[in-house]
Amino acid sequence: MGQRSESDEFYELTPEDYARLVSKKREERFLKTAKSRDAEAAARRSKFAKATLRVQFPDSIIVEADFSPLDLVLKLVTMLEKLQLKPEIPFHLYTTPPKQILKDYNVTMYDAGLVPGALVYLSNSDFQGPYLKEIVLASQHSDEESKHQVLAPPAGSPPRVASPEETRPSSRQTVPVCKGSKPKPKWLKLGK
């Protein structure tokens, strides 16, 4: 049962193969007017009604808020400056992977690649310590409250702040089945 080896002619490009490849290329790159390109871009943008952004601070606290895909990144920056304890200290925003620093704040959320949702990291090399105002930290939801609420608040509502404990996956969350038996993992669902 040896393998059948193909001859060298099998791998050579025939005129029919070349014609098929060239015709595919022509179909893919036909010229479009600026109006038709803009119409296609608007159709892609209209698929998304909102952009849910999570901003992670260096102390692992995450702030979540909804924006319109047509809002400028500047609106996110303005919101973060209002929430920060010391807004005068400079910071920059980036996404990963790969690391892309958001330098231009005058582009839309859609054009910046933050739609339909993104985790944006806030970096600040000059300041160590609490980043958010006390009133913002006081509005954190406990685990019990967050179970009964939708993670993303409606557009225009104040951002939701999650504590570092909420954002880290817990490896020991279990729910006991009954007394005297081994605990059942929370993710295991039997016959319901």
Side-chain angles (χ1 to χ4, degrees), residues 131-149:
Y131 294 92
L132 295 174
K133 294 179 180 177
E134 287 297 321
I135 191 146
V136 176
L137 291 174
S139 71
Q140 287 185 12
H141 296 278
S142 70
D143 285 341
E144 197 58 41
E145 290 174 1
S146 64
K147 287 178 187 175
H148 303 294
Q149 292 183 350

Side-chain angles (χ1 to χ4, degrees), residues 3 9 12 22-23 41 60 65 106 121 125 133 135 141 156 166 183:
Q3 287 185 323
E9 288 124 16
E12 290 179 9
V22 170
S23 69
S60 297
N106 292 319
Y121 297 91
S125 59
K133 294 179 180 177
I135 191 146
H141 296 278
E166 283 184 82

